[in-house]
């Protein structure tokens, strides 16, 4: 995935080397460019390098299928790193991943963090945009003034019809 460098130059994006910044990070690219791969790797790096728990990260995407794929890939990356650090002779991993893993300090603490992340992966905040918004409205119902039983309406034709009839 190319990203913009200084003065409009295009540089190749690397999920293994890009600087990690806490806060909001956006990955936007065309289909088939490696977004899911990159997001899974960045989540792993935040857990390992920034020492964040899996519950401290939020990943938001567009579709339910994408959220499921991200959960699967993140779990896989965590398992890959744990297996590689426990048995470095594992060679079915990509070379860039192994180079990144080889430069990690204190593999025992990394194994511990990854093991904790794997144990908590089902609590990982990986949502669709609608799912995240709905969860926030429910969790902060008093602050937002939203009903506890707020539901996502996918077909608003009846509401539009009623509004038109009310107006008419």
């Amino acid at each position: 995935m190319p990203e913009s460098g200084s003065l409009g130059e295009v540089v190749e994006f690397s999920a293994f080397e890009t600087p990690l910044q806490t806060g909001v990070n956006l990955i936007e690219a065309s289909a088939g460019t490696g977004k899911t791969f990159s997001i899974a790797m960045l989540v792993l790096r935040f857990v390992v390098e920034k020492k964040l728990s899996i519950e401290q990260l939020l990943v938001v995407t567009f579709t339910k299928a994408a959220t499921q794929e991200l959960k699967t890939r993140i779990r896989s990356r965590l398992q890959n790193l744990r297996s590689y650090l426990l048995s470095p002779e594992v060679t079915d991993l990509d070379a860039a991943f192994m180079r990144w893993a080889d430069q990690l300090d204190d593999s025992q603490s990394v194994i511990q963090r990854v093991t904790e992340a794997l144990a908590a992966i089902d609590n990982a905040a990986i949502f669709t945009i609608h799912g995240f918004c709905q969860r926030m409205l429910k969790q902060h119902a008093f602050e937002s003034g939203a009903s506890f039983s707020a539901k996502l309406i996918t077909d608003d034709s009846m509401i539009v019809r009623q509004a038109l009839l009310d107006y008419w």
Side-chain angles (χ1 to χ4, degrees):
M1 269 184 287
E3 68 178 284
S4 296
S6 60
L7 301 174
E9 70 183 271
V10 176
V11 295
E12 194 66 28
F13 174 80
S14 170
F16 298 100
E17 298 169 359
T18 193
L20 295 178
Q21 299 175 1
T22 55
V24 177
N25 293 275
L26 172 69
I27 294 183
E28 182 179 29
S30 302
T33 57
K35 291 182 301 292
T36 304
F37 172 89
S38 295
I39 292 169
M41 190 62 211
L42 291 171
V43 167
L44 177 63
R45 288 186 59 209
F46 273 109
V47 168
V48 171
E49 296 175 27
K50 294 291 186 177
K51 299 176 174 76
L52 296 176
S53 71
I54 199 81
E55 294 99 337
Q56 290 178 287
L57 300 170
L58 169 65
V59 179
V60 180
T61 189
F62 289 101
T63 66
K64 289 180 183 179
T67 60
Q68 193 55 47
E69 180 65 19
L70 275 167
K71 286 179 186 180
T72 301
R73 293 265 193 103
I74 290 168
R75 177 180 279 125
S76 177
R77 276 295 171 180
L78 290 164
Q79 290 169 334
N80 289 346
L81 180 58
R82 187 174 187 282
S83 296
Y84 183 71
L85 292 177
L86 290 171
S87 300
E89 61 275 358
V90 174
T91 57
D92 61 339
L93 301 170
D94 56 275
F97 183 85
M98 290 188 293
R99 276 193 307 277
W100 171 79
D102 288 340
Q103 57 84 32
L104 296 172
D105 295 328
D106 192 12
S107 62
Q108 289 306 315
S109 66
V110 170
I111 291 169
Q112 178 65 34
R113 280 195 300 281
V114 168
T115 302
E116 290 168 3
L118 281 166
I121 192 72
D122 291 331
N123 297 326
I126 303 170
F127 298 107
T128 62
I129 296 167
H130 291 92
F132 173 70
C133 292
Q134 188 172 19
R135 181 174 176 164
M136 289 300 101
L137 287 173
K138 282 185 179 181
Q139 283 184 344
H140 302 284
F142 289 119
E143 295 91 340
S144 67
S147 169
F148 283 112
S149 60
K151 294 180 183 170
L152 177 64
I153 298 174
T154 56
D155 180 11
D156 63 355
S157 60
M158 291 302 294
I159 295 171
V160 171
R161 178 175 164 70
Q162 187 62 47
L164 287 172
L165 290 172
D166 288 349
Y167 178 76
W168 186 258

